[in-house]
Amino acid sequence: MKLTLNFPRDIFITTKEKADGVYVFDPIRKQDVLMTPEENVRQHLIAYLIKYKNYSTGLMAVERKIVVNHLTRRPDIIVFNRKQEPWMIIECKRPEEKLTKKVIEQIAQYNSLLKSEYLCITNGLEHFIFKMDYLGNQFALVIDFPEV
């Protein structure tokens, strides 16, 4: 059963068939990447953030390497503010994957280094966005992706 992602119907991504599979054009990395279920979610979310929330491609990074506790990690998407500071970290999962405590722990590990204002986890069907409050040592669930 093909799952319909939870994005507006006018969100499109550009795909092309190659000998070894279907590829999608990533406007952030400016290259074709192999289409996997997780990549499908990531590219639909990027297209949504650009079209509906006016996020700048110049302020986004995809799978940028970071080192946390001597381990190399690659957050799916980092959105930066105009000062080039991490503003939102987004972790994408394939639609069939449940958004569990383990996924939250994964993004929290990234945030232990990046100290972002917002965290988001999504499987393309559900999107959970959290606004961090470092002074109060807490976070709040927000309804929609914030405007930059």
Side-chain angles (χ1 to χ4, degrees), residues 15-113:
T15 61
K16 68 169 85 168
E17 296 249 356
K18 294 186 180 182
D20 60 341
V22 176
Y23 283 73
V24 58
F25 181 74
D26 181 332
I28 309 304
R29 292 178 277 187
K30 297 187 180 1
Q31 66 184 28
D32 291 332
V33 292
L34 184 64
M35 176 68 93
T36 63
E38 181 180 315
E39 194 65 49
N40 186 34
V41 170
R42 180 171 31 235
Q43 293 306 320
H44 274 86
L45 178 57
I46 288 169
Y48 170 78
L49 294 175
I50 292 167
K51 182 172 185 168
Y52 281 89
K53 297 298 179 177
N54 298 313
Y55 284 32
S56 168
T57 58
L59 293 176
M60 287 193 261
V62 172
E63 294 192 326
R64 179 172 287 174
K65 181 175 101 170
I66 62 172
V67 178
V68 180
N69 298 328
H70 307 289
L71 299 171
T72 298
R73 299 287 182 236
R74 295 186 184 277
D76 282 306
I77 303 169
I78 303 173
V79 181
F80 296 90
N81 62 22
R82 303 266 180 233
K83 297 177 186 174
Q84 293 295 312
E85 300 164 330
W87 179 73
M88 177 184 285
I89 307 168
I90 303 169
E91 183 59 28
C92 301
K93 298 298 181 187
R94 66 186 188 281
E96 300 79 17
E97 188 169 339
K98 300 278 186 224
L99 300 175
T100 63
K101 180 180 176 188
K102 183 178 177 186
V103 179
I104 293 171
E105 289 170 351
Q106 179 182 5
I107 201 167
Q109 185 181 53
Y110 301 154
N111 200 44
S112 68
L113 175 71

